[in-house]
C-alpha cells in the first residue's frame, strides 16, 4: 500500500510539468507595461479594442494588463499639448516555443487559455504634440478610442 502511494506521487510529480505551458510558467497571463511621454507628466489611458482598460495619472508610470491577441493604444493628455497616442502591438511570446521541448501540445493549449501565448512591448513612449494658442486644449481622456475629444474654449486675447 505504501509503495503504491509513493509510486503514484512520483508519477504525478513527473507528469506535472507536462500539464502546464512554458510561457504560462515563465511569464504568466498578465504583463506590466511602462508608459512614458515626451514631455513627462501626462495623464494616459490604455485602450484595447476601443475600450479603456487601465490608466496612469502622471507619466512615467506603469499599468498591468492581461495578455491578449488585440493590440493596445495608449492615449495621453497634458496641459498645452494635444491628445496624442501610440500603439503597443501584441506579438507571440517567445516562451511559448519552450513547449516544443517541455510542455508539448498540452502546454500550448494552457498557454493559449491563459493568454501567455501573447506579449506586448514592455515600454511604450508617447510623443506629445504641442498646441498653438489658437487651438483649444482637450479636456479628459475618452472612455473609448477613438472617441470624441472634448476641448475647452481658448482664452480670448481681448482683440
Amino acid at each position: 500500500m505504501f509503495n503504491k502511494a509513493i509510486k503514484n506521487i512520483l508519477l504525478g510529480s513527473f507528469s506535472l510539468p507536462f500539464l502546464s505551458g512554458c510561457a504560462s510558467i515563465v511569464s504568466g497571463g498578465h504583463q506590466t507595461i511602462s508608459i512614458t511621454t515626451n514631455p513627462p507628466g501626462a495623464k494616459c489611458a490604455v485602450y484595447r479594442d476601443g475600450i479603456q482598460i487601465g490608466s496612469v495619472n502622471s507619466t512615467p508610470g506603469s499599468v498591468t494588463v492581461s495578455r491578449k491577441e488585440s493590440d493596445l493604444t495608449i492615449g495621453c493628455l497634458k496641459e498645452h499639448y494635444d491628445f496624442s497616442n501610440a500603439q503597443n502591438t501584441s506579438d507571440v511570446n517567445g516562451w511559448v516555443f519552450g513547449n516544443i521541448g517541455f510542455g508539448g501540445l498540452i502546454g500550448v493549449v494552457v498557454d493559449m487559455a491563459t493568454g501567455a501565448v501573447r506579449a506586448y512591448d514592455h515600454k511604450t513612449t508617447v510623443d506629445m504634440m504641442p498646441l498653438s494658442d489658437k487651438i483649444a486644449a482637450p479636456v479628459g481622456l475618452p472612455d473609448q478610442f477613438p472617441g470624441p475629444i472634448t476641448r475647452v474654449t481658448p482664452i480670448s486675447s481681448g482683440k
Side-chain angles (χ1 to χ4, degrees), residues 97-150:
F97 297 109
N99 288 313
I100 294 170
F102 184 67
L105 181 60
I106 293 174
V108 171
V109 171
V110 170
D111 285 346
M112 290 177 75
T114 63
V117 73
R118 306 305 294 183
Y120 296 104
D121 290 333
H122 291 282
K123 182 177 181 181
T124 301
T125 300
V126 180
D127 292 319
M128 304 295 294
M129 303 309 256
L131 287 171
S132 74
D133 293 336
K134 296 179 182 179
I135 299 176
V139 178
L141 291 163
D143 291 334
Q144 297 183 348
F145 182 85
I149 305 295
T150 306

Side-chain angles (χ1 to χ4, degrees), residues 49-153:
D49 298 325
I51 305 299
Q52 185 176 334
I53 61 168
S55 64
V56 172
N57 284 328
S58 182
T59 58
S62 62
V63 63
T64 300
V65 297
S66 59
R67 297 174 189 263
K68 303 275 184 184
E69 189 171 340
S70 301
D71 297 341
L72 301 176
T73 300
I74 293 86
C76 302
L77 288 178
K78 181 176 172 66
E79 191 172 335
H80 306 295
Y81 289 84
D82 204 356
F83 176 83
S84 301
N85 65 77
Q87 294 291 120
N88 190 323
T89 305
S90 176
D91 204 355
V92 174
N93 186 347
W95 287 107
V96 77
F97 297 109
N99 288 313
I100 294 170
F102 184 67
L105 181 60
I106 293 174
V108 171
V109 171
V110 170
D111 285 346
M112 290 177 75
T114 63
V117 73
R118 306 305 294 183
Y120 296 104
D121 290 333
H122 291 282
K123 182 177 181 181
T124 301
T125 300
V126 180
D127 292 319
M128 304 295 294
M129 303 309 256
L131 287 171
S132 74
D133 293 336
K134 296 179 182 179
I135 299 176
V139 178
L141 291 163
D143 291 334
Q144 297 183 348
F145 182 85
I149 305 295
T150 306
R151 297 184 180 274
V152 296
T153 306

Side-chain angles (χ1 to χ4, degrees), residues 3-68:
N3 286 338
K4 186 175 183 181
I6 296 285
K7 181 179 173 184
N8 288 338
I9 289 171
L10 289 175
L11 183 61
S13 297
F14 175 74
S15 62
L16 189 61
F18 297 102
L19 297 178
S20 59
C22 196
S24 300
I25 294 169
V26 176
S27 57
H30 290 81
Q31 180 177 343
T32 300
I33 298 170
S34 172
I35 300 172
T36 58
T37 55
N38 183 19
K43 181 175 183 170
C44 299
V46 179
Y47 303 92
R48 181 177 20 232
D49 298 325
I51 305 299
Q52 185 176 334
I53 61 168
S55 64
V56 172
N57 284 328
S58 182
T59 58
S62 62
V63 63
T64 300
V65 297
S66 59
R67 297 174 189 263
K68 303 275 184 184

